[in-house]
Amino acid sequence: MNITINKTTEPKQKPQDESSLGFGKIFTDHMFLMDYTPEKGWYDARIVPFGPIPVHPASTVLHYGAEVFEGLKAYRTADGTVQLFRPEANAQRIIDSAERLCMPAPSVEDFVEALKTFVSLEKDWVPHSEGASLYLRPFIYGDDHALGVHTVHHNVFCIIASPSGSYYPEGINPVKIMIEDEDVRAVRGGTGYTKCGGNYAASMRAGERAVQKGFTQVLWLDGVERKYIEEVGSMNVMFKIDGEIVTPALLGSILPGVTRRSCVELLKAEGYKVSERLLSVDELIDACENGKLEEAWGTGTAAVVSPIGELSYKGKNYIVNDFKIGEVTQHLYDELTSIQWGKAPDKYGWVEKLD
Ligand SMILES: *Cc1c(COP(=O)(O)O)cnc(C)c1O
């Protein structure tokens, strides 16, 4: 891939106080852009100064939601090296997401090369403090300038980056989760397994209602029977029930998280009993009532793991593990963050260093 680089003449002041970065609020000096048409394929790969992108009022993305995205981080290790965590998995996932929306995506090699070239240029923006990282947001949107509904002709691939603070500035605190039995996020055959913007649009109402009731997020049930556990907000979910680690199987309506997969692989390698299977809400509530639910946690790039301290279902609340982070949850957090920040050897080959 031939990437042209047009550096900004007005670099921004980098944040002095990394403790107040928050998430996704400030952006680096540049962005990566590349266009696609069926005739030309992907063309004009370029890194340009960060700024607004002109959008035609009839652009497909504005009307028909043609958009898929990814989320991953660049980490700075103690010796100053900058590294990515399993970027090929994100590359493959955006290919799968785009395919479902009938959109093109760059090859795995081009996606990773674009990311690495871009992050190398923005290297000084990768935060130095504990737990902080450079959040990377690659996305593809459909951009035909016509209102007819058809497969998009012109697409744009873009990468932006945002230095983001530690997800847990005050230490890891368990969250309260409401099991949603009205709205659904996705159905099999739909777009649940893709990271598309539309899934998020459809999940806002339930999320908002949960927040108003004092919960952090919703736990989704399947879209047909409202019977099986799916995932939490923008995280996958795992439970330790009577010694067994259970996470919902990937049957098309759940996002195949890179963190989920890493947790499953890590736990299996360490000899834990891990089952990817159907888990009904009745089985989960039974486990709560019989004291067999030992731990519950969400998994995702932003938080790594997020312990669940309370579950609410049909107006009843169930406390999990005395509202404390569980042993397996803590272990996963420690193992994954150690690999990501280069504090532990990369024994599974998950880390991709920038040169
Ligand atoms: C991104 C995302 C996840 C987590 O995926 P990771 O690859 O682990 O970050 C889980 N669920 C949904 C709906 C998501 O969008």
Side-chain angles (χ1 to χ4, degrees), residues 3-275:
I3 305 172
T4 60
I5 297 178
N6 170 14
K7 279 199 195 171
T8 181
T9 51
E10 294 163 25
K12 288 178 264 192
Q13 180 88 36
K14 296 192 180 60
Q16 298 299 305
D17 177 14
E18 290 188 350
S19 68
S20 61
L21 285 173
F23 173 73
K25 292 188 295 197
I26 57 174
F27 297 92
T28 61
D29 283 321
H30 301 91
M31 58 188 179
F32 178 95
L33 284 169
M34 178 161 77
D35 292 86
Y36 175 95
T37 61
E39 298 77 33
K40 293 191 186 176
W42 289 105
Y43 64 96
D44 202 9
R46 59 204 186 273
I47 295 173
V48 297
F50 182 89
I53 302 175
V55 185
H56 190 281
S59 179
T60 329
V61 65
L62 296 183
H63 299 270
Y64 308 125
E67 193 262 359
V68 294
F69 66 95
E70 272 305 322
L72 70 163
K73 293 171 172 176
Y75 308 85
R76 186 182 296 280
T77 67
D79 67 6
T81 312
V82 171
Q83 57 190 34
L84 304 174
F85 184 75
R86 310 191 84 173
E88 288 83 7
N90 299 90
Q92 186 55 53
R93 189 168 62 190
I94 206 168
I95 291 173
D96 298 341
S97 295
E99 193 275 335
R100 178 63 183 79
L101 273 68
C102 230
M103 291 163 69
S107 67
V108 171
E109 296 70 33
D110 285 355
F111 179 97
V112 174
E113 187 187 337
L115 265 181
K116 288 174 97 172
T117 309
F118 175 59
V119 176
S120 293
L121 186 74
E122 302 292 58
K123 207 167 180 172
D124 291 345
W125 283 93
V126 181
H128 293 75
S129 49
E130 176 89 28
S133 57
L134 184 65
Y135 183 78
L136 305 168
R137 170 53 61 87
F139 58 103
I140 305 169
Y141 64 94
D143 184 41
D144 281 345
H145 301 172
L147 294 176
V149 180
H150 50 72
T151 301
V152 192
H153 187 85
H154 177 233
N155 290 271
V156 179
F157 174 60
C158 182
I159 309 172
I160 54 176
S162 172
S164 295
S166 169
Y167 196 87
Y168 294 114
E170 281 118 39
I172 308 185
N173 288 316
V175 292
K176 296 182 184 185
I177 298 292
M178 192 183 97
I179 302 180
E180 171 65 37
D181 57 1
E182 197 178 321
D183 286 3
V184 296
R185 192 189 79 94
V187 291
R188 282 191 221 170
T191 56
Y193 69 91
T194 74
K195 229 170 161 68
C196 73
N199 287 344
Y200 277 72
S203 70
M204 294 292 173
R205 185 173 74 173
E208 189 53 39
R209 284 196 298 227
V211 167
Q212 274 164 19
K213 288 182 188 158
F215 297 93
T216 305
Q217 265 296 352
V218 296
L219 176 59
W220 298 105
L221 298 179
D222 75 277
V224 179
E225 298 178 83
R226 315 275 198 283
K227 184 174 167 191
Y228 296 102
I229 303 292
E230 297 227 310
E231 58 182 312
V232 182
S234 54
M235 286 192 272
N236 294 111
V237 69
M238 299 188 175
F239 304 94
K240 184 163 177 247
I241 302 173
D242 205 12
E244 177 195 17
I245 315 259
V246 184
T247 192
L250 301 175
L251 299 173
S253 53
I254 299 172
L255 203 282
V258 178
T259 320
R260 174 193 181 280
R261 177 169 150 196
S262 305
C263 288
V264 168
E265 289 172 9
L266 197 146
L267 291 172
K268 282 187 175 166
E270 292 180 349
Y272 284 87
K273 183 178 179 212
V274 186
S275 308

